């Protein structure tokens, strides 16, 4: 965490996509300034083409800004090479996607173990940590099952367990309830609330006002700019 209490600090973030001839195709982000205090839950909203996905990819260290500075958990990531970005991503960020992105051939605990495998954690320890986090998200009784044997809500819980098993600083969720019915989606949001209450910073990209209003704060993007920044509650 950086000294100013913000886990994310962005200044003048621009992301320009160019055509092959070097001319500008689109200005996806235009000098975005954003501070996210540690422990906050933040919703990023806006219409298609507003820059939500681009901002999420930069926040998740999946993409680099064209211009501007970006610090996450004290690391200046706007200047890092791919290998260093990958390390920050693995240490600091847990990802949850709308489509779950579980590996169908693996059991849920094997899916949860994947990030630990890349950290070269020994098999016995991986199993202990995966089992503990699956228990934490309410799937302790589903160990040994493959994703196809679970409901959509259970698959999303497994995906959240996989995101949390490395003990990240930030949980980054892209439309996490988009493929779920409203009751199941609400159960997932309750789980997010619990994690946030325990101090985890959660950033959610969503089209859903209900999801947005549950967060501490909502920013609306429009044409690559932060159009509104609202404290909720």
């Amino acid at each position: 965490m950086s000294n100013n209490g913000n886990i994310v600090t962005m200044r003048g973030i621009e992301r320009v996509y160019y055509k092959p001839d070097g001319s500008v195709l689109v200005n996806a982000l235009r000098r975005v300034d954003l501070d996210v205090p540690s422990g906050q839950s933040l919703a990023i909203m806006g219409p298609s083409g507003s820059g939500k996905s681009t901002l999420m990819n930069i926040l998740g260290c999946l993409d680099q800004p064209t211009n501007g500075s970006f610090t996450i958990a004290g690391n200046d990531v706007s200047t890092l090479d791919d290998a260093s970005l990958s390390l920050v991503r693995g240490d600091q960020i847990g990802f949850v996607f709308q489509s779950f992105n579980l590996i169908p051939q693996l059991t849920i605990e094997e899916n949860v173990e994947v990030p630990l495998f890349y950290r070269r954690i020994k098999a016995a320890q991986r199993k202990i940590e995966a089992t503990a986090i699956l228990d934490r998200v309410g799937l302790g009784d589903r160990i040994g099952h493959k994703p196809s044997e679970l409901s959509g809500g259970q698959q999303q819980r497994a995906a959240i367990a996989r995101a949390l098993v490395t003990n990240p600083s930030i949980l980054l969720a892209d439309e996490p309830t988009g493929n779920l019915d409203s009751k199941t989606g609400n159960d997932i949001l309750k789980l997010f609330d619990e994690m946030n209450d325990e101090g985890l910073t959660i950033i959610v990209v969503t089209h859903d006002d209900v999801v947005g209003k549950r967060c501490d704060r909502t920013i609306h993007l429009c044409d690559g700019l932060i159009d509104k920044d609202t404290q909720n509650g």
Side-chain angles (χ1 to χ4, degrees):
M1 191 173 111
S2 54
N3 295 332
N4 60 7
N6 292 324
I7 197 158
V8 167
T9 302
M10 289 181 153
R11 290 292 176 270
I13 292 293
E14 297 181 8
R15 185 64 174 97
V16 182
Y17 294 100
Y18 295 97
K19 296 178 185 174
D21 66 5
S23 61
V24 171
L25 176 64
V26 62
N27 280 312
L29 294 174
R30 305 165 185 259
R31 299 196 62 77
V32 167
D33 294 340
L34 178 65
D35 292 319
V36 182
S38 185
Q40 186 172 73
S41 60
L42 171 70
I44 300 172
M45 303 189 73
S48 291
S50 61
K52 294 192 308 295
S53 295
T54 303
L55 182 58
M56 190 190 75
N57 286 340
I58 291 174
L59 282 166
C61 298
L62 296 166
D63 191 15
Q64 285 281 54
T66 309
N67 291 301
S69 65
F70 172 31
T71 305
I72 186 166
N75 300 283
D76 182 355
V77 294
S78 43
T79 56
L80 295 182
D81 60 23
D82 285 348
S84 304
L85 261 188
S86 184
L87 286 174
V88 172
R89 191 164 60 236
D91 282 344
Q92 302 293 345
I93 300 162
F95 291 94
V96 179
F97 301 96
Q98 178 176 348
S99 53
F100 318 138
N101 288 9
L102 298 168
I103 301 166
Q105 297 87 350
L106 301 182
T107 63
I108 56 168
E109 65 272 24
E110 288 168 342
N111 267 283
V112 172
E113 284 178 31
V114 167
L116 302 177
F117 173 82
Y118 286 114
R119 285 184 160 197
R120 296 189 166 88
I121 290 170
K122 291 180 178 171
Q125 186 62 28
R126 291 202 306 264
K127 191 166 184 61
I128 290 166
E129 293 185 27
T131 303
I133 196 69
L134 282 165
D135 219 25
R136 173 70 185 80
V137 301
L139 289 178
D141 60 339
R142 307 301 285 169
I143 284 169
H145 289 71
K146 291 187 175 171
S148 61
E149 300 172 295
L150 303 181
S151 68
Q154 289 170 332
Q155 289 185 59
Q156 190 58 297
R157 283 174 185 270
I160 292 166
R162 180 184 57 195
L164 294 175
V165 76
T166 56
N167 197 26
S169 304
I170 298 173
L171 186 69
L172 197 56
D174 185 13
E175 301 283 0
T177 59
N179 280 340
L180 305 174
D181 63 70
S182 57
K183 182 192 178 306
T184 308
N186 193 48
D187 289 343
I188 293 299
L189 294 174
K190 278 185 188 167
L191 182 59
F192 280 5
D193 290 344
E194 288 170 24
M195 299 295 176
N196 185 234
D197 288 344
E198 290 171 14
L200 182 64
T201 306
I202 298 179
I203 300 176
V204 183
V205 174
T206 182
H207 283 98
D208 187 338
D209 282 333
V210 173
V211 177
K213 284 174 180 158
R214 283 184 79 127
C215 294
D216 299 327
R217 175 184 172 201
T218 304
I219 60 170
H220 285 261
L221 290 180
C222 183
D223 296 330
L225 295 161
I226 295 177
D227 186 39
K228 282 190 286 188
D229 188 338
T230 310
Q231 298 290 333
N232 298 325

